[in-house]
Amino acid sequence: MAVSHRLLRPATTTIKNTFSSLFIRSLSSSSSGSSLDPKIDLEEAAAQLGKSSSTSTSPYKGRNFHWVFLGCPGVGKGTYASRLSSLLGVPHIATGDLVREELSSSGLLSSQLKELVNHGKLVPDEFIISLLSKRLQAGKDKGESGYILDGFPRTVTQAEILEGVTNIDLVINLKLREEALLAKCLGRRICSECGGNYNVACIDIKGDDDTPRMYMPPLLPPPNCESKLISRADDTEEVVKERLRIYNKMTQPVEEFYKKRGKLLEFELPGGIPESWARLLRALHLEDDKQSAIA
Ligand SMILES: Nc1ncnc2c1ncn2[C@@H]1O[C@H](COP(=O)(O)OP(=O)(O)O)[C@@H](O)[C@H]1O
């Protein structure tokens, strides 16, 4: 697979400085003219981001959440991160979505990025960091405070850089039995019109003496989306297996990184969304009076 050497800059480059300078630049070059001085200390820049200027009506308003979702491809990071985002009134930032937005542009690098993504490879750290810095800056301009990161960090380098500019309060590591992960990725569908996420897989894994049955019904679309469903190009069996291999090699060490810091909450998904959502809320000591509506 020929991918431009420019994209695969050796990880030995001081990516920390790249992120720091990008981070400051993205904070000081906003179209609305950030009040931040470009020479501002990074910690202060990160603190500015974290200031609770949330205008949400969330019952958790004012509590700053800097959370991360970890988990294998197809485990449901986006499903639960978006629900928590609605409940807590903080933005859900999915780096996979940022990458796909970049792929849909006709940017110089989009064809090379597509090669990487469609083969299940990770995008180079500095590129993903540039995308995330821009998104954080846009959020700051809109008065967002706090965030739930989904899909970042995905390497120890990314985790170290993130730790250098802000404090992550909690890392939720979603886990699901391997045999269910592949079926969920292959069953994933997106409505090409409204962007809604669905899953046509019906997962029913028999239990045995020490593991309960795993039943996850399909998450079917409404009638007006049924004829518009598409799959992601990287959700083929071959690419999903490569993504799982890369996750185990590159992202499992990130779990260790946060476990050592006492910030990792391991959460084994027990089944479908209603059951898992209720149990996740209990694990997070959160209440959700709209529980049935959101789930
Ligand atoms: N933090 C990241 N670092 C590098 N590449 C990333 C990152 N986040 C997303 N990507 C790229 O975008 C693709 C899709 O990401 P995502 O939608 O999160 O997929 P998954 O279902 O595998 O978690 C990844 O396979 C990878 O190529």
Side-chain angles (χ1 to χ4, degrees), residues 73-74 77 95-96 99-100 117 121-123 128 151-152 154 158 188 232 234 243:
K77 294 188 295 297
T95 45
V99 168
R100 280 182 285 277
V117 174
K121 310 296 181 198
L122 294 185
V123 160
I128 208 81
F152 186 97
R154 212 175 271 235
Q158 292 176 13
R188 194 158 37 188
R232 280 172 31 177
D234 59 345
R243 283 159 55 201

Side-chain angles (χ1 to χ4, degrees), residues 216-233:
M216 302 178 102
L219 182 62
L220 297 175
N224 55 323
C225 294
E226 271 168 9
S227 61
K228 303 168 192 134
L229 297 184
I230 56 172
S231 304
R232 280 172 31 177

Side-chain angles (χ1 to χ4, degrees), residues 10-204:
T12 49
T13 54
T14 49
I15 295 176
K16 279 189 180 41
N17 300 335
T18 311
F19 184 70
S20 308
S21 57
L22 277 174
F23 195 68
I24 293 181
R25 206 181 311 141
S26 69
L27 286 176
S28 56
S29 62
S30 64
S31 52
S32 62
S34 158
S35 55
L36 286 173
D37 175 336
K39 293 186 294 304
I40 193 169
D41 173 75
L42 252 187
E43 271 62 32
E44 194 174 333
Q48 292 276 338
L49 259 187
K51 268 208 179 98
S52 69
S53 53
S54 161
T55 52
S56 78
T57 53
S58 157
Y60 298 97
K61 182 175 171 334
R63 274 180 54 184
N64 260 313
F65 296 88
H66 294 93
W67 289 3
V68 163
F69 264 80
L70 287 182
C72 288
V75 72
K77 294 188 295 297
T79 301
Y80 296 100
S82 57
R83 281 162 173 73
L84 273 176
S85 163
S86 306
L87 179 67
L88 303 179
V90 290
H92 165 214
I93 301 179
T95 45
D97 292 343
L98 300 181
V99 168
R100 280 182 285 277
E101 279 163 34
E102 194 64 23
L103 295 189
S104 63
S105 73
S106 53
L108 174 68
L109 296 178
S110 56
S111 56
Q112 290 146 346
L113 280 178
K114 205 165 277 182
E115 273 285 288
L116 286 172
V117 174
N118 289 352
H119 286 80
K121 310 296 181 198
L122 294 185
V123 160
D125 290 334
E126 56 261 54
F127 199 87
I128 208 81
I129 282 163
S130 163
L131 291 181
L132 181 57
S133 298
K134 282 187 207 120
R135 171 58 186 82
L136 288 171
Q137 172 54 44
K140 185 188 169 306
D141 290 350
K142 288 188 293 188
E144 284 176 356
S145 77
Y147 40 71
I148 295 177
L149 296 180
D150 160 3
F152 186 97
R154 212 175 271 235
T155 64
V156 170
T157 302
Q158 292 176 13
E160 286 168 342
I161 291 168
L162 188 63
E163 188 174 61
V165 293
T166 190
N167 176 47
I168 294 298
D169 313 309
L170 178 68
V171 176
I172 300 167
N173 186 27
L174 294 183
K175 302 182 91 78
L176 183 63
R177 290 156 67 171
E178 183 103 8
E179 60 266 49
L181 285 172
L182 180 59
K184 278 201 67 196
C185 278
L186 299 181
R188 194 158 37 188
R189 297 292 182 275
I190 300 155
C191 173
S192 54
E193 189 167 82
C194 70
N197 288 291
Y198 305 101
N199 203 303
V200 298
C202 179
I203 294 163
D204 190 349

